[in-house]
């Protein structure tokens, strides 16, 4: 619905600017829609901007961190995003019990790619700063990948991440 | 104006929810406004999310990168942000000729804090990946700090950064 309204709005903007007096730079000066940190993975969640920020919050709040690697032009990322954003229970747990970060570019920290760099890929990090390489999806060749049909597994992995590695603190 | 409207809206939300039947979690379920990547430094600019992303774009587009370190609860950052966002020439050059990144948390790269970590601090990076430690403000003790009265100096430093270190490429 929001998307439909947005399209209508953009069409109106286009029509009204093409009706207006031609001016220098009109083509260029269309208003951009500000980029959000959620990038469609849940506008109601509070997203960390960078890995450093996310680690700070995880330690401070003693909460697990969930890092989602994705790409705008990857259909698997897009379909996983839709499921993630629309699943109320995933959104609730992410909101209440986790620090969340979504990234389209890899960090320099190799621990975040235990079996390679691919998308979509979801890695949990304990507030003790330990990457939870033990929390995996169901694919042997890409252990941190999730498909839209894996929403329940993802939710149970989120619950698993909530059991902190207290002995490491 | 947008702020006034927002306040009115928030008051209305508060009033209407206090008038409504009390329900579990009503306090909590107020709609959050999605966070933007601009954080008020210019909604019309295209902001990189992370330093890694910004470096990728700088190299790809052969454009200098401008990294702004700031904090929400720092009055110097806030006043500098206002000047930056409202200065049309700064916004134009940032939009057309630079890759921009604003960060509230330090990165692990020490080259981005040549004389310490403080805010506000603006560091230019050449697309050859060289931090332009030679492009400074007017304060000897905090060489990369800018005050609102330094808008012209900042603009001329942006022009300086556009002269790329081609010999290093």
């Amino acid at each position: 619905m929001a998307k439909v309204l947005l399209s209508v709005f953009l069409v109106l903007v286009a029509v009204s600017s093409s009706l207006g007096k031609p001016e220098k730079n009109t083509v260029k000066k269309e208003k951009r829609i500000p980029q959000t940190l959620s990038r469609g993975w849940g506008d109601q969640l509070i997203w960390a901007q960078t890995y450093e920020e996310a680690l700070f919050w995880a330690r401070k709040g003693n909460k697990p961190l969930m890092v989602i690697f994705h790409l705008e032009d990857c259909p698997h990322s897009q379909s996983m995003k839709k499921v993630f954003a629309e699943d109320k229970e995933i959104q609730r747990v992410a909101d209440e019990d986790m620090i969340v970060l979504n990234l389209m570019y890899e960090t320099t920290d190799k621990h975040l790619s235990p079996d390679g760099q691919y998308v979509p890929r979801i890695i949990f990090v304990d507030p003790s700063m330990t990457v939870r390489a033990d929390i995996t999806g169901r694919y042997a060749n890409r252990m941190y990948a999730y498909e839209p049909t894996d929403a329940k597994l993802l939710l149970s992995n989120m619950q698993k991440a909530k059991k902190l590695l207290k002995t490491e603190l």
Side-chain angles (χ1 to χ4, degrees), chain A residues 48 50-67 97-101 124-130 164 169:
Chain A
T50 63
Y51 188 43
E52 290 82 6
E53 177 173 355
L55 286 178
F56 173 85
W57 285 359
R59 293 185 72 165
K60 193 172 176 193
N62 202 34
K63 285 181 176 183
L65 161 63
M66 185 176 187
V67 188
D97 303 321
M98 316 226 127
I99 305 299
V100 285
L101 170 68
F124 294 93
V125 185
D126 194 73
S128 66
M129 314 272 281
T130 312
L164 304 184
L169 286 177

Side-chain angles (χ1 to χ4, degrees), chain A residues 21-138:
Chain A
K21 231 184 185 170
E23 275 181 296
K24 254 189 202 170
N25 292 332
T26 39
V27 179
K28 203 169 182 180
K29 295 300 174 196
E30 270 169 32
K31 273 228 158 191
R32 295 190 190 121
I33 296 154
Q35 301 150 275
T36 62
L37 268 179
S38 73
R39 296 193 193 260
W41 289 84
D43 275 350
Q44 292 303 299
L45 301 181
I46 293 169
W47 294 91
Q49 180 184 350
T50 63
Y51 188 43
E52 290 82 6
E53 177 173 355
L55 286 178
F56 173 85
W57 285 359
R59 293 185 72 165
K60 193 172 176 193
N62 202 34
K63 285 181 176 183
L65 161 63
M66 185 176 187
V67 188
I68 303 168
F69 290 91
H70 65 108
L71 283 174
E72 294 289 330
D73 56 359
C74 155
H76 297 279
S77 298
Q78 294 308 308
S79 55
M80 196 59 222
K81 166 160 48 178
K82 194 166 148 46
V83 166
F84 188 94
E86 289 174 1
D87 189 309
K88 284 189 182 151
E89 194 58 11
I90 287 179
Q91 290 284 312
R92 188 189 63 78
V93 176
D95 185 30
E96 294 177 4
D97 303 321
M98 316 226 127
I99 305 299
V100 285
L101 170 68
N102 75 79
L103 290 175
M104 301 202 301
Y105 289 77
E106 295 290 337
T107 70
T108 49
D109 191 329
K110 295 206 165 30
H111 296 102
L112 287 176
S113 45
D115 65 347
Q117 299 180 342
Y118 50 85
V119 293
R121 176 170 110 246
I122 299 180
I123 308 277
F124 294 93
V125 185
D126 194 73
S128 66
M129 314 272 281
T130 312
V131 168
R132 296 290 306 264
D134 59 311
I135 303 183
T136 62
R138 61 172 95 256

Side-chain angles (χ1 to χ4, degrees), chain A residues 5-18:
Chain A
L5 280 177
L6 184 62
S7 312
V8 172
F9 173 69
L10 288 176
V11 168
L12 285 176
V13 167
V15 169
S16 60
S17 66
S18 66

